[in-house]
Amino acid sequence: MGMDMVIGLVFGVFVIWAGNIVRTKQAFAFLAGFRETWQPVNKERLGNRVGILLIMIGVIAIFTSIFTIWFGDTVGKISGVLAIIDVILIIVVIGLDQIGY
């Protein structure tokens, strides 16, 4: 087990843990700009959506560290694109919360 795999697994577990905290306790301190530029309209719905998306980023990080052993750098490129799409979805979810959906 290489050091890069251990770092990927630890980071993935940390992000899954953070997503679970956001999902269950609606603690949005993990999100940039919270209480400075925006306030949540529906805390429960936003917490659930953002928590699930953070858990997805954690799962992507864990799978990337595991599958890099067999498939090499191609997995990093694919998971990078998936992580960027996930971050864009988080921004969209915050925007939808601000307009009331």
Side-chain angles (χ1 to χ4, degrees), residues 56-96:
M56 286 175 53
I57 289 177
V59 170
I60 289 171
I62 289 174
F63 282 151
T64 301
S65 65
I66 293 172
F67 289 136
T68 302
I69 296 171
W70 295 293
F71 301 112
D73 294 335
T74 307
V75 176
K77 295 173 186 174
I78 294 170
S79 65
V81 170
L82 291 175
I84 289 172
I85 291 170
D86 205 359
V87 169
I88 291 170
L89 286 174
I90 290 173
I91 293 169
V92 167
V93 164
I94 292 172
L96 286 174

Side-chain angles (χ1 to χ4, degrees), residues 1-44:
M1 223 163 94
M3 188 60 154
D4 51 350
M5 184 174 173
V6 172
I7 291 172
L9 290 174
V10 169
F11 178 75
V13 169
F14 174 73
V15 173
I16 289 173
W17 172 74
N20 191 27
I21 287 177
V22 169
R23 189 166 179 237
T24 57
K25 298 182 181 178
Q26 284 82 33
F28 298 110
F30 294 110
L31 301 176
F34 179 65
R35 297 209 192 260
E36 295 174 9
T37 57
W38 60 276
Q39 291 289 329
V41 175
N42 188 345
K43 287 183 78 168
E44 292 82 22

